[in-house]
Amino acid sequence: MTQNTDDWGLLLTAALGGDSRAYARFLRVVTPVLRGVVRARGAALGDAGCEDVLQEVLLALHLKRHTWQTGTPVRPWLYAITRYKVIDAFRARGRRVDVPIEDFADVLPAEPGVDPTQAGDMDKMIAMLDPRAQRLVRQVGVEGDTMAEAGAKLDMTEGAVRVALHRAFKQLADLRKRHVE
């Protein structure tokens, strides 16, 4: 009793009568057939999506097995449930199309250069420093001023700029650890 749909009816009838072995056998026999139907109708859902739909079909069969009328063909009843579950999966997905990025990784490499989000992230981290440390980091680290130039602009000695800048960079490193890593 494997692929004969008359046997499916006998198994399901026995299962509805309380025979758990018949029910388990029924599910084992129909699952590969239903998997094929789901994959044929829902190919655009991908392998994982089709397996999800198959699980939904099997759950629906379990919950709705009492709706099958004994003596009627099993295959149309199974196909109807499967068809509606595939349709439900497409409706749930909407107009979204899932394309695995792995297929295009070599074809669509990122443009070489600086990460465009890096400047915004850097500005957010610098803004967390005290105002004097912010000015020092921006002048020396971002604008490229020398220690002497930054000292002249901020009315500090070159040695004081070095110490203050060292402390500011240490604060930035600590902030990075807390907020990024």
Side-chain angles (χ1 to χ4, degrees):
M1 280 204 278
T2 55
Q3 291 296 318
N4 187 345
T5 56
D6 292 336
D7 295 339
W8 292 1
L10 294 174
L11 287 171
L12 190 51
T13 300
L16 292 174
D19 186 346
S20 60
R21 287 184 179 161
Y23 185 54
R25 177 129 190 214
F26 171 76
L27 290 175
R28 271 195 310 275
V29 170
V30 300
T31 297
V33 175
L34 297 176
R35 181 176 282 119
V37 173
V38 169
R39 285 185 178 170
R41 289 184 168 269
L45 297 170
D47 290 340
C50 287
E51 284 302 310
D52 290 344
V53 171
L54 178 63
Q55 294 303 313
E56 290 290 326
V57 170
L58 294 173
L59 181 63
L61 288 179
H62 179 71
L63 296 174
K64 299 296 182 182
R65 66 186 183 272
H66 66 278
T67 65
W68 175 70
Q69 295 176 353
T70 305
T72 61
V74 177
R75 190 176 289 262
W77 178 76
L78 289 174
Y79 285 0
I81 291 172
T82 305
R83 178 175 169 262
Y84 287 119
K85 289 299 177 182
V86 171
I87 290 169
D88 288 347
F90 278 115
R91 283 186 183 140
R93 186 176 87 165
R95 296 188 179 266
R96 187 182 82 236
V97 177
D98 295 324
V99 180
I101 191 77
E102 296 82 24
D103 296 345
F104 301 98
D106 295 334
V107 180
L108 301 172
E111 293 292 324
V114 177
D115 179 1
T117 62
Q118 187 176 6
D121 294 343
M122 185 172 53
D123 286 339
K124 286 178 188 174
M125 288 294 180
I126 293 172
M128 293 180 188
L129 297 173
D130 64 84
R132 183 175 130 196
Q134 285 181 33
R135 285 191 306 259
L136 277 173
V137 169
R138 290 187 197 287
Q139 286 182 338
V140 176
V142 178
E143 296 171 15
D145 287 355
T146 65
M147 300 289 177
E149 292 169 334
K153 289 179 183 176
L154 297 173
D155 196 30
M156 296 171 68
T157 66
E158 190 174 336
V161 169
R162 287 182 198 279
V163 171
L165 188 61
H166 174 75
R167 289 180 181 154
F169 284 148
K170 186 172 180 337
Q171 281 182 313
L172 277 176
D174 290 342
L175 286 170
R176 182 174 180 272
K177 280 183 183 176
R178 278 190 277 151
H179 294 281
V180 178
E181 295 176 357

